[in-house]
Amino acid sequence: MTDLFNQIRADRSPMQRLMAHLPGFHGYQASTDRRAADRLIREHVVAGLRGQLNALVAAQKTVLSSSGGLAHMRKLHDVQSQFQVFIDRVN
């Protein structure tokens, strides 16, 4: 996160760099930068998790098409629901 935070700080506009010298504004700007870095990390993690959720849905379809697969659908649906809740919390 430190690298991402430093990259966000480096991407500041000249006006933002000037305003960073104002008393009290530096801390506000640093917290805004930390929130932006955190948001970018969460978006990256959620994208990966959604890919895994799509793989789970594909596995559900495969299980459903096999013989006796309907018996396992309840458990797979519960896993899918819990996984979606986790993704929503991270996001």
Side-chain angles (χ1 to χ4, degrees):
M1 177 148 161
T2 304
D3 293 336
L4 189 57
F5 178 70
N6 289 334
Q7 181 182 355
I8 289 172
R9 288 180 66 189
D11 290 342
R12 288 182 184 165
S13 69
M15 184 66 170
Q16 288 174 328
R17 289 187 197 129
L18 178 65
M19 290 177 11
H21 295 291
L22 296 174
F25 191 76
H26 176 72
Y28 169 76
Q29 196 170 30
S31 65
T32 301
D33 292 344
R34 280 192 300 274
R35 282 192 297 273
D38 180 61
R39 180 182 45 80
L40 290 173
I41 290 171
R42 283 185 286 116
E43 286 174 355
H44 178 74
V45 169
V46 165
L49 291 174
R50 285 205 174 120
Q52 295 302 313
L53 182 62
N54 291 338
L56 178 62
V57 170
Q60 280 180 323
K61 290 178 183 177
T62 303
V63 168
L64 188 59
S65 66
S66 68
S67 63
L70 193 59
H72 302 290
M73 288 308 292
R74 174 78 176 167
K75 290 179 184 178
L76 285 172
H77 180 70
D78 290 344
V79 169
Q80 179 186 2
S81 296
Q82 290 175 355
F83 199 57
Q84 184 62 53
V85 167
F86 178 70
I87 290 172
D88 293 342
R89 282 188 175 181
V90 171
N91 198 11

